[in-house]
Amino acid sequence: MAKGFGQKKTPPATKRQTSQWDSIQEETRDRLFFQLLDAISESHRNFQTVDQRIAREINLLLEANQEQLDEHFVKVLRYHSSAILSEVPPKGQKGIAARLMILSYCIHEFKKGNEANNLEIAIAGYEIAVTVLTYEAFPEQWAACQNSLGNAYHRRFKGDRAENLERSIACCQNALQVLTRESRPIMWAEIQKNLAIAYGNRIRGDRLENAELARIACCTAMEVYTREAMPEAWAQLQNNLGLIYRDRIYGDKAENLEKAIACYQNGLLFRTREEFPELWAQTQTNLASAYRHRLHGDAVENMEKAIAANKAALQVYTQDAFPADWAGVQTNLGNAYVHRRKGDRNENLEMAIAAHQAALKVFNPDDFSREWAMTQMNLGKCYFMVESREKAIASYQSALKVCTPTAFPFECFNAGETLGKIAFVMGDWQLAIEGYGIAIEAVETSRTWATSELRRQEILSEAIDLYANIVQACINNKQLDKAVEYVERSRSKRLVDLMASNDLYSSAEIPAEIQQYLQDFERLQQQIDKERGRNQPTNDFDNSKLDNSRAALAAYNQTIADLEAEKLLIWEQLRRLDPVLAGQIRVNPLKFPSIQKLIDKPTTAIISFYATVSDTLIFVVRQNEITLQSCASLGFEALHGWIFQNWLGQYVNDKDSWKEELVGMLAEIAKLLNLKDLILWHLEGISELIIVPHFALHQIPFAALPIGDNRYLGDKFLIRYAPSCQVLEFCQQRPSLGNNLNCGTIEDATGDLPCASFEGEQLAVLYSIPDNRRLKGRHQATVSNYRELAQTVQILHSSHHAQSRFDNPLESTLILGDGCITLGQLMTPAWRLPQLSDVFLSCCETGLGLTEFTGDILTFSTAFLSAGARSVISTLWAVDDLATALFSIFYYQEWQQGKNRPEAIRQAQVKLRELTGHTLAASYKPQLTELLKEKLKETDALRKISQAERKACSSGSSDYRQWDEEYKKYDKIGQQIYRSRENLDKFCQESKPFYHPFYWAAFTCTGIR
């Protein structure tokens, strides 16, 4: 057998810069390296199947030289391997790389010595070999190297655990580019198994997604590792699958635990104590954990089964033979004793403490950092239960030295939250803040690792109580500034992400992959428009409830539901590719000084609402101070439950009843929020409010809340809104567009809102808007024309039908002549409008939407802000056609005179509610009457044409049905015009026809002043 390597010239030690090494040890390691390589035949090139004789010879050498297998041997291997490869011609390098792979594999599988060191040596060998066995030249060998590296990295002790697992996953995925089930089924299944392990232990990314990827990989591997063909490998996969089901988040927890137990029991069919004692003990330990968490069956019996299974495992896992495994079982036993219902509680807790302390004999912070930290957490729980609070705190603080938000976010969350709770109970507010604060950091880190927008919202929702707890702790600690910071961090995260990424797209090309998704998204929307027949308003109205509002009802059916579901899938894919969700951008939360910088005048204050379980908090932030009003006993359920039931509930079910009750409900809300005290004690010297609502308060028109003496909050203060301070900061940071702003209008897109046409005419005169920037009626106010206009003007005025969708906010619609623009479309990169200064949505429900627990509210108002607008005026309910037209005219008149947006809104609201019937008749009725007359004449002519065409067709034919639809459409439009004329006459006869808040209070301004 040709040895070869032993005859190589050893480079001088000085070149290795290792003079500090002990010379004898150095020579021994050098000699061992060459002996190990010489044991491998130079002709043995297939490192994927190691010759058993060679493996035995290498194993004997390793056993005899265990003490040499340390970090210095890693340097020896790297140095000599690189030196040898540099001296060999390219043709001979493959054989050397193959021998290095065999050596690395044998050390990788070596059961004695220090496992951590063995893995470092193996990784070093694999990494050198893969520089020769490249993908381009040796794809299959390269894939095998990647598989070995993946296996080694997920078992690695040294280095960053999270990074090791990422490398493991990347290596396995690399290998699967080459190795398929058809070409190499066994190795393919092995890689799937390794992937399952790596995903199961993964720290980065979303826990739910990782668990599902692990489950899929495990089940995939069982396509090859079947019970009949490969029972031992199948049993191992059953054990791994049991671990996945035990910790699975998705699905029913109780059923998942039953599946886990079944998997472990399957594994024990082959993992018997007689044949495989170590594997048997491993499965017993896992089975014990599943029984401890089990939800089905008798709780007392389940815990006894858990204790029995752990004790069974200790028959094999002794402290001397298997110290780490023994310590792990001690930990499991301790956890079982904590929850044990049988026996004396105090005795069980003492046994639990003793078991965890025993585990710490092995689990030290240097060699077993994660295990040590977890044991500290377990001890902390026990100490708290026996009322040793100081010991409990010390244990959790120790655990948090290892379980940081980035290293182990899930464990960090649990430790931080528990530490916060303990400190809160003790009244140690600063410690509570520290505990809750680090838990929030862990939550937000986990959120940034999730690539699904839905999952990001779930992660935040699951931890929303943390924010309420830390806010209260900050208040108790007299740190109102930090309380406001955490209130801000809890809200509108999704909207902030959208604005961050959309602002990026405003100055960058949209990638081709995203372009394709956008095209698919638009194609589905066109199918929905066709199905709904949006160009035919007959489908949009209930025959029995013709009214004069700008609301519209969707023609909903299963076909549309299916298309909307397809759109949602594309939306999710678009969001996954978003730079923020993809991890390319992380938006840092605002600090309090940045929040105060949003206030540019000493007479302006931010009013930030936040409800906890027990109270509603109202933070008043000024330029140089912050105060708090607490509405005691007005907890989250009391306030928001009332709004959902009385305000939104009535609005959805009976708008007439809601309108009748509106004034009373506004008075009740003002009373609940104790507005009189807020003004008296907190708002002296303030003339402008920036209101940041919380949850259901987004639906409330604060300007219309009564404050006594027939006055409203909007009479005393200028009011504008922001979903969050961070959203407001985005709007403020957008560049100024100057003073010469072009205005464009979209008017009466479906031909059935005559007052919208009147509104457009008045604005055109006021702002000298040319006809090419006015989209009038069905044929001009199309989707494509709307988009083109929105991209060319700085002021966009939309006056037509719209509808909010509580069931699916992304499908809320702006209704145009040939289709719809949905809220979801506006929030895609296809709608980047960086030049847009102002949007006035003179439509129904454009600011109406259900708010999530996270504070995110998806409405057309927030959608246009996301697309690039600086300010949006929108509506909180279905508004009246004539009142809306008049309000819009009044607003623009005031704005043209130099008033800022909230000033113009206030003056428009006052003018509308104080407008007399006499003034309406004298100033506006003649023009409106003439317009209505012309509209009716046009409509009647079109109705007669369609009637004649229908008559000329065979009854029941497609042409007949088409002309029948046209006839019904124009007939309804005619009825609507008659109704508008009747309302005009009625309003002109009243003293103040629009005094009721229903007519003027729906309009809100969101964004900059």
Side-chain angles (χ1 to χ4, degrees):
M1 179 176 70
K3 299 289 184 181
F5 285 119
Q7 300 165 9
K8 293 288 181 185
K9 179 180 178 181
T10 304
T14 54
K15 290 186 179 179
R16 287 172 15 200
Q17 298 180 343
T18 55
S19 59
Q20 74 275 20
W21 287 3
D22 178 87
S23 60
I24 297 175
Q25 292 295 322
E26 178 184 320
E27 291 176 5
T28 303
R29 292 188 185 93
D30 286 344
R31 185 167 55 250
L32 175 61
F33 172 76
F34 289 112
Q35 286 176 331
L36 288 167
L37 281 185
D38 283 344
I40 304 170
S41 169
E42 194 169 325
S43 62
H44 192 99
R45 303 294 181 89
N46 186 6
F47 59 83
Q48 298 169 42
T49 53
V50 180
D51 183 274
Q52 292 300 310
R53 180 185 59 78
I54 293 173
R56 283 194 298 272
E57 187 175 344
I58 292 175
N59 224 46
L60 289 172
L61 282 169
L62 294 176
E63 287 185 15
N65 295 276
Q66 292 180 42
E67 69 281 0
Q68 308 302 325
L69 302 177
D70 56 14
E71 66 273 14
H72 298 305
F73 192 81
V74 175
K75 297 177 182 178
V76 167
L77 184 145
R78 287 190 182 278
Y79 179 75
H80 285 304
S81 299
S82 299
I84 292 166
L85 286 168
S86 68
E87 296 178 8
V88 175
K91 288 185 178 180
Q93 289 181 353
K94 179 185 176 183
I96 295 168
R99 294 162 79 178
L100 279 173
M101 281 296 296
I102 293 170
L103 172 59
S104 299
Y105 176 81
C106 291
I107 295 176
H108 189 168
E109 296 298 316
F110 185 51
K111 300 299 182 184
K112 298 181 180 180
N114 184 291
E115 185 180 358
N117 289 337
N118 294 346
L119 281 167
E120 293 305 302
I121 296 167
I123 288 170
Y126 293 144
E127 288 180 338
I128 293 169
V130 85
T131 63
V132 175
L133 302 170
T134 63
Y135 175 80
E136 293 76 15
F138 308 101
E140 188 166 325
Q141 290 87 341
W142 172 85
C145 287
Q146 293 291 334
N147 179 43
S148 298
L149 268 173
N151 184 285
Y153 272 125
H154 85 240
R155 293 166 58 180
R156 192 184 192 193
F157 291 85
K158 297 184 179 180
D160 181 74
R161 175 70 171 156
E163 182 59 33
N164 287 335
L165 289 167
E166 293 307 301
R167 290 183 181 182
S168 175
I169 290 168
C171 289
C172 291
Q173 290 173 335
N174 285 342
L176 289 175
Q177 294 177 28
V178 176
L179 301 173
T180 64
R181 180 179 177 181
E182 291 72 26
S183 64
R184 298 296 299 273
I186 300 299
M187 187 169 286
W188 175 84
E190 179 73 12
I191 297 168
Q192 296 288 351
K193 183 193 76 173
N194 291 339
L195 259 182
I197 295 170
Y199 276 125
N201 292 307
R202 193 183 191 192
I203 295 167
R204 295 179 186 170
D206 176 51
R207 289 179 65 233
L208 185 149
E209 292 179 356
N210 289 336
E212 291 310 295
L213 289 169
R215 185 184 63 83
I216 291 168
C218 205
C219 293
T220 301
M222 279 194 280
E223 295 174 10
V224 173
Y225 289 156
T226 63
R227 176 176 177 175
E228 296 74 22
M230 306 182 73
E232 292 176 19
W234 177 82
Q236 182 183 2
L237 286 172
Q238 288 291 325
N239 181 74
N240 295 351
L241 192 57
L243 292 171
I244 294 166
Y245 276 121
R246 185 196 67 186
D247 299 329
R248 193 183 190 201
I249 302 171
Y250 183 80
D252 181 75
K253 185 173 179 59
E255 290 304 317
N256 285 334
L257 286 167
E258 294 305 303
K259 290 178 181 178
I261 291 170
C263 287
Y264 295 139
Q265 290 171 337
N266 284 339
L268 288 173
L269 295 174
F270 298 95
R271 290 181 157 194
T272 63
R273 182 177 178 183
E274 294 72 27
E275 287 191 80
F276 306 102
E278 294 175 44
L279 298 178
W280 174 83
Q282 180 191 74
T283 308
Q284 289 291 344
T285 304
N286 295 335
L287 187 59
S289 181
Y291 275 125
R292 178 165 61 87
H293 291 95
R294 193 182 193 191
L295 299 175
H296 287 329
D298 181 76
V300 175
E301 185 181 346
N302 286 334
M303 207 56 66
E304 294 307 305
K305 286 182 178 180
I307 293 170
N310 278 315
K311 289 182 175 179
L314 289 175
Q315 297 171 20
V316 174
Y317 284 158
T318 63
Q319 185 176 358
D320 293 333
F322 303 96
D325 295 312
W326 174 84
V329 178
Q330 293 294 335
T331 297
N332 288 347
L333 258 180
N335 289 332
Y337 281 128
V338 164
H339 298 286
R340 192 184 196 190
R341 299 189 182 184
K342 189 174 182 180
D344 181 76
R345 180 178 181 273
N346 291 330
E347 288 181 6
N348 286 331
L349 288 173
E350 289 303 318
M351 286 192 287
I353 291 171
H356 291 312
Q357 289 173 334
L360 290 178
K361 295 177 182 177
V362 176
F363 291 155
N364 60 73
D366 296 322
D367 298 323
F368 299 94
S369 59
R370 182 177 182 275
E371 290 79 4
W372 175 82
M374 294 297 294
T375 306
Q376 291 290 346
M377 289 171 61
N378 292 329
L379 268 175
K381 182 177 183 178
C382 293
Y383 286 137
F384 184 69
M385 293 177 75
V386 298
E387 299 186 1
S388 296
R389 291 178 177 174
E390 295 302 325
K391 287 185 177 180
I393 289 170
S395 293
Y396 281 110
Q397 287 177 325
S398 295
L400 287 169
K401 293 176 182 177
V402 173
C403 295
T404 65
T406 53
F408 300 103
F410 178 69
E411 291 80 2
C412 177
F413 166 78
N414 288 332
E417 181 186 37
T418 308
L419 178 61
K421 286 180 179 178
I422 294 172
F424 200 98
V425 170
M426 295 173 62
D428 188 337
W429 310 124
Q430 186 56 44
L431 184 60
I433 292 168
E434 291 172 11
Y436 288 136
I438 198 169
I440 286 172
E441 290 287 344
V443 167
E444 293 178 357
T445 296
S446 297
R447 181 181 175 276
T448 61
W449 287 350
T451 57
S452 161
E453 184 176 71
L454 177 61
R455 182 59 188 145
R456 280 192 164 203
Q457 292 300 100
E458 287 177 350
I459 289 170
L460 203 57
S461 295
E462 290 162 2
I464 206 69
D465 289 344
L466 267 183
Y467 292 90
N469 293 341
I470 199 170
V471 166
Q472 190 61 59
C474 289
I475 292 170
N476 295 348
N477 207 39
K478 304 188 186 310
Q479 291 179 279
L480 295 183
D481 55 341
K482 289 188 72 69
V484 170
E485 286 180 0
Y486 281 107
V487 164
E488 179 65 23
R489 285 174 75 157
S490 72
R491 59 174 39 136
S492 297
K493 292 276 192 182
R494 173 165 60 179
L495 186 57
V496 167
D497 287 349
L498 280 161
M499 294 184 78
S501 55
N502 289 345
D503 279 1
L504 175 76
Y505 280 129
S506 68
S507 58
E509 289 294 323
I510 298 175
E513 185 177 10
I514 292 178
Q515 288 278 20
Q516 183 58 55
Y517 279 126
L518 291 174
Q519 290 173 16
D520 294 341
F521 200 80
E522 294 295 328
R523 173 180 52 78
L524 288 170
Q525 183 59 47
Q526 289 169 9
Q527 291 181 35
I528 290 171
D529 289 339
K530 185 177 180 180
E531 178 67 23
R532 281 181 172 158
R534 284 299 191 191
N535 58 327
Q536 297 183 14
T538 50
N539 292 334
D540 297 330
F541 298 104
D542 181 342
N543 295 345
S544 64
K545 293 187 178 181
L546 282 173
D547 59 29
N548 60 329
S549 80
R550 299 188 181 185
L553 302 174
Y556 199 78
N557 58 35
Q558 189 58 45
T559 301
I560 292 173
D562 293 341
L563 290 169
E564 288 180 351
E566 284 188 61
K567 276 181 64 184
L568 188 60
L569 292 176
I570 295 176
W571 167 268
E572 271 290 312
Q573 290 303 317
L574 278 168
R575 299 298 300 129
R576 284 179 184 274
L577 294 170
D578 180 277
V580 173
L581 266 70
Q584 299 167 21
I585 303 171
R586 181 168 181 175
V587 184
N588 293 320
L590 286 185
K591 294 295 185 181
F592 187 71
S594 297
I595 294 173
Q596 282 191 309
K597 285 181 181 178
L598 298 172
I599 305 170
D600 60 351
K601 292 182 178 180
T603 54
T604 298
I606 294 173
I607 310 297
S608 179
F609 290 87
Y610 189 74
T612 66
V613 172
S614 57
D615 306 312
T616 292
L617 310 173
I618 308 175
F619 295 92
V620 181
V621 182
R622 302 190 187 211
Q623 277 188 333
N624 299 309
E625 69 172 320
I626 175 174
T627 59
L628 170 67
Q629 174 170 298
S630 178
C631 302
S633 302
L634 184 64
F636 187 93
E637 289 298 328
L639 175 62
H640 300 289
W642 189 95
I643 293 173
F644 274 110
Q645 179 178 346
N646 295 278
W647 184 278
L648 285 178
Q650 280 201 78
Y651 178 79
V652 171
N653 296 318
D654 188 346
K655 287 185 175 61
D656 290 336
S657 173
W658 173 83
K659 181 179 175 182
E660 290 175 7
E661 299 291 331
L662 182 59
V663 173
M665 289 189 291
L666 289 170
E668 181 65 20
I669 293 168
K671 181 180 177 182
L672 289 171
L673 297 177
N674 203 356
L675 283 190
K676 289 184 179 180
D677 280 357
L678 181 69
I679 295 168
L680 178 64
W681 299 108
H682 299 276
L683 297 178
E684 184 178 355
I686 296 297
S687 59
E688 181 189 35
L689 305 180
I690 302 172
I691 293 178
V692 184
H694 183 223
F695 206 56
L697 287 173
H698 280 280
Q699 320 303 329
I700 304 304
F702 280 84
L705 295 180
I707 57 174
D709 298 326
N710 293 318
R711 298 183 72 210
Y712 299 96
L713 192 68
D715 295 332
K716 186 173 180 62
F717 303 100
L718 300 178
I719 294 176
R720 56 190 166 106
Y721 298 80
S724 73
C725 290
Q726 195 147 34
V727 169
L728 182 59
E729 185 187 55
F730 270 104
C731 295
Q732 286 194 1
Q733 289 179 345
R734 287 170 176 163
S736 173
L737 299 174
N739 297 319
N740 297 320
L741 307 181
N742 291 327
C743 181
T745 61
I746 303 93
E747 309 166 19
D748 191 15
T750 48
D752 54 354
L753 291 173
C755 295
S757 297
F758 171 71
E759 178 182 326
E761 292 289 345
Q762 297 298 308
L763 298 188
V765 172
L766 198 61
Y767 280 86
S768 302
I769 305 173
D771 278 349
N772 64 349
R773 293 206 303 268
R774 294 180 63 191
L775 306 180
K776 297 179 284 187
R778 291 175 53 206
H779 299 296
Q780 292 182 19
T782 62
V783 171
S784 60
N785 287 346
Y786 191 108
R787 177 180 290 191
E788 184 179 350
L789 183 66
Q791 291 170 339
T792 55
V793 298
Q794 290 77 54
I795 302 170
L796 187 70
H797 185 85
S798 271
S799 182
H800 46 78
H801 287 298
Q803 184 200 19
S804 173
R805 284 276 297 276
F806 284 166
D807 64 317
N808 188 351
L810 294 176
E811 293 300 325
S812 298
T813 52
L814 299 177
I815 302 165
L816 299 173
D818 64 342
C820 297
I821 296 170
T822 67
L823 192 149
Q825 285 174 290
L826 268 174
M827 286 186 155
T828 67
W831 284 78
R832 300 302 96 230
L833 305 170
Q835 84 300 329
L836 202 55
S837 171
D838 287 74
V839 177
F840 192 133
L841 298 171
S842 184
C843 319
C844 290
E845 303 180 341
T846 48
L848 175 65
L850 292 180
T851 316
E852 298 180 356
F853 283 106
T854 58
D856 282 285
I857 181 166
L858 297 182
T859 65
F860 277 108
S861 177
T862 56
F864 271 104
L865 290 179
S866 176
R870 280 71 170 166
S871 175
V872 180
I873 295 175
S874 57
T875 57
L876 292 173
W877 53 77
V879 289
D880 178 82
D881 188 23
L882 176 57
T884 300
L886 294 170
F887 177 88
S888 301
I889 294 165
F890 295 157
Y891 170 81
Y892 283 106
Q893 287 172 345
E894 298 294 326
W895 198 32
Q896 191 184 51
Q897 293 173 15
K899 293 184 175 65
N900 61 41
R901 298 175 182 96
E903 285 178 324
I905 277 193
R906 175 164 69 181
Q907 290 304 315
Q909 289 176 329
V910 171
K911 287 173 73 171
L912 182 60
R913 76 174 192 246
E914 296 296 328
L915 180 69
T916 65
H918 175 75
T919 303
L920 176 64
S923 301
Y924 299 102
K925 186 176 180 180
Q927 292 172 281
L928 279 166
T929 301
E930 185 62 29
L931 177 67
L932 291 170
K933 183 179 178 181
E934 288 297 320
K935 286 275 185 182
L936 189 60
K937 184 178 178 181
E938 292 173 11
T939 303
D940 194 50
L942 291 169
R943 180 182 63 82
K944 289 178 178 178
I945 290 171
S946 57
Q947 184 181 32
E949 293 288 350
R950 182 184 65 177
K951 189 175 181 180
C953 299
S954 300
S955 179
S957 67
S958 59
D959 287 342
Y960 181 92
R961 288 194 298 271
Q962 182 179 348
W963 285 111
D964 186 54
E965 287 294 320
E966 287 287 299
Y967 171 80
K968 290 177 181 177
K969 174 178 66 180
Y970 291 119
D971 184 58
K972 285 190 176 183
I973 291 174
Q975 293 179 48
Q976 181 66 19
I977 295 171
Y978 273 118
R979 180 74 172 269
S980 295
R981 192 163 64 183
E982 290 173 356
N983 282 327
L984 177 60
D985 292 338
K986 177 174 70 74
F987 286 140
C988 287
Q989 294 170 12
E990 297 178 11
S991 59
K992 291 183 180 180
F994 305 112
Y995 189 80
H996 193 285
F998 168 78
Y999 294 107
W1000 57 265
F1003 305 94
T1004 63
C1005 174
T1006 304
I1008 64 175
R1009 186 187 300 114

